[in-house]
Every structure is written in C-alpha cells, then in structure tokens.
Amino acid sequence: TMTVGLPRNCTKADRHLQRGFIMRISPKISGIILCLLVIFSSPVQAAGNIQYYSPSQSFGEIIRQEGDKLYLSKEWYGSRFEINPVNVKSGLPMKPPEREEYQKALEETVFPLEKLGTYKVYFLNYRLNQYPAALALSLRDDSVVVFGSYYPIGAAKVHYLAVHELGHQVDFKLMDQASWQRYLELRGLSDIQKYNNSSPVYENRPQEIFAEDFRLLFGGETARKTPHLNRELPDPGKVTGLKEFFWQLAAKETAGQ
C-alpha cells in the first residue's frame, strides 16, 4: 500500500491513521447487508492470550448500524469511523487476511506475548469509508481491527502487518512517558519538529518507527523480509541497547504484576 503525507490541518485522528490513495465510492447499503446474519460463537483462543474473531463474529462485536450507515463501534483517539458497506467489487468479495497466516506471524514473534494481556484480533470483510487503503487499525483497548481486501494478500505482507500492529500493542501496553523519552534518545529521534506523531511524513512518526523496530527485532523471518518504513534511520539491530530496551519493557511489566 502506498502511503501519502497528511495535511497539517487534518484532525487528530487523521494524523494518526495511515492513509493511501482514496477511492471515490458512493455506497448504497443493500437489504442483504442490513439483514446480515451474524453467527455468534466463541473466538479462536491462541497462545499468549490472543483471541481471533472471524468476520461474522467481528461484525456482531464491533459494527453498529445507525440509520442507513454502518460504523465501527470502537473509538480511536476520540473519533469514530464509518464502514464502507460495499464489500463486493466486480463479483469479487472482500476478504481479510487468512487467520492461520496472521496467527502464524504472531506465533513466530520472539517476545513474551503473555505480558501484553488479552489481545483481540478482529477480522472484517469491510473497510473504512474514509480510509479505504488502511489495512488495520490498532486500538488502545487491547485490540486490532484487520480490514478486508478484494485481492489475496501475500504471506510477507500479512506477517508484516500482523507484527507491526503487535508493535503498537507493545507500545500501548508497556510504554510510559519515561520509556518514550528513553526510546527517543536511543533511536536518535530528539528533533521533535521532525519526529512527532502529527508529522505529515508518516515514516517520521515515532509510534510507527517503534512498531517497525519491534517487527524487525522480534518478528519471524517472513515478517522481517520487508525493510524498515523509515529508510533514513539506522537498522534497529545495529542500534546499541535498543533490543535490550524492549526486553526491559517486558521485565518491568513482569515486576509490576
């Protein structure tokens, strides 16, 4: 997915969300979508307290209908998002990444996932209306929403996505202000004019750099195939003390339990 910078006058939610080229879609919600049968069953429970929700389960859990529109019920930095109800294009149904491949990516991660508590992965066969190029959305309630695609997503991209989003969960769960200060120093991100989470340059946002560092330091072989989002920074594996910093985060959480 090609990303573009966000304008400086965008909303706070806009600044945090990865954007791509926006398709102009004028959806009409059909009776089939409005009367969608949701199959309720238990999510798949996996190692490390990770729970996987199928598209039908996710629809029932995190999608709300308001009038003739569908919304993601979870808030994200104080904002809610409309769901594009169109999930069939030229006869092709929209599908999220395969759960088995996504789960494999997380299981290959060399990090104590149990330190992150219960982590919920919601697969949807829909996309956000405002940001159709967004492949996933990590939330501060220990969950991630993984959106659908009209075409199969290869293993390398699935592993990239899964471990990158898990990096955001590590941030949300284990980082605090003091940890962020230490991380910024280690990573050479002290120039807040350049490196800040409101930057129109997506790859200069510390939260995204952090998630990428986690992916390359702790992801499996397939997750590490894609280079770091920020090509200007040193390889995280060559930054003295960076990997130890992540291990200390897990140890600190253990001590506090």
Side-chain angles (χ1 to χ4, degrees):
T1 303
M2 179 173 283
T3 59
V4 295
L6 303 183
R8 293 187 179 275
N9 62 348
C10 59
T11 65
K12 184 175 181 182
D14 287 336
R15 292 184 180 126
H16 283 82
L17 186 63
Q18 179 177 1
R19 292 184 60 184
F21 293 112
I22 306 300
M23 298 182 293
R24 299 182 181 276
I25 300 175
S26 299
K28 294 182 179 179
I29 301 180
S30 68
I32 295 177
I33 293 176
L34 292 177
C35 299
L36 179 67
L37 176 62
V38 178
I39 303 174
F40 293 97
S41 59
S42 299
V44 175
Q45 184 78 36
N49 297 321
I50 301 175
Q51 297 177 353
Y52 298 91
Y53 291 75
S54 70
S56 59
Q57 293 168 337
S58 297
F59 190 96
E61 288 277 338
I62 63 173
I63 300 298
R64 298 292 178 267
Q65 181 181 336
E66 297 182 10
D68 61 348
K69 295 183 178 181
L70 300 176
Y71 289 90
L72 191 66
S73 64
K74 293 172 172 286
E75 290 193 356
W76 187 78
Y77 289 97
S79 297
R80 293 178 62 205
F81 294 95
E82 185 179 346
I83 295 295
N84 188 337
V86 177
N87 64 352
V88 177
K89 179 181 179 182
S90 300
L92 291 174
M94 183 175 286
K95 296 180 180 180
E98 293 293 334
R99 178 188 62 79
E100 291 80 6
E101 197 66 47
Y102 200 100
Q103 181 174 340
K104 181 180 178 182
L106 297 188
E107 290 177 347
E108 290 179 356
T109 302
V110 186
F111 193 81
L113 301 184
E114 66 275 6
K115 306 302 180 185
L116 304 180
T118 299
Y119 182 51
K120 296 182 178 181
V121 181
Y122 294 100
F123 294 105
L124 277 179
N125 51 358
Y126 293 91
R127 283 194 173 184
L128 295 177
N129 198 34
Q130 302 99 315
Y131 307 101
L135 296 179
L137 183 63
S138 286
L139 300 154
R140 288 186 175 272
D141 66 350
D142 302 323
S143 70
V144 60
V145 182
V146 183
F147 301 108
S149 173
Y150 288 115
Y151 303 98
I153 300 176
K157 180 171 282 190
V158 173
H159 283 239
Y160 170 97
L161 179 68
V163 183
H164 176 96
E165 297 305 321
L166 185 65
H168 286 307
Q169 174 66 4
V170 173
D171 167 14
F172 298 158
K173 197 72 175 180
L174 303 182
M175 292 286 279
D176 55 24
Q177 186 173 356
S179 298
W180 266 110
Q181 185 61 38
R182 175 60 178 153
Y183 172 76
L184 294 176
E185 293 173 356
L186 276 173
R187 206 58 173 102
L189 307 179
S190 299
D191 183 356
I192 61 174
Q193 296 300 318
K194 181 176 182 179
Y195 300 109
N196 63 81
N197 290 316
S198 297
S199 173
V201 182
Y202 183 74
E203 58 267 28
N204 283 346
R205 300 176 186 179
Q207 285 186 317
E208 300 305 326
I209 296 171
F210 181 95
E212 284 290 273
D213 286 351
F214 177 84
R215 175 179 66 83
L216 290 173
L217 290 173
F218 298 97
E221 181 179 355
T222 305
R224 300 195 309 270
K225 286 183 177 180
T226 305
H228 198 287
L229 180 67
N230 190 309
R231 306 294 180 88
E232 296 181 355
L233 294 173
D235 185 288
K238 298 179 180 179
V239 177
T240 303
L242 185 59
K243 192 166 189 176
E244 289 76 13
F245 169 83
F246 278 91
W247 284 120
Q248 288 167 6
L249 286 178
K252 181 181 67 174
E253 178 69 10
T254 301
Q257 289 179 347

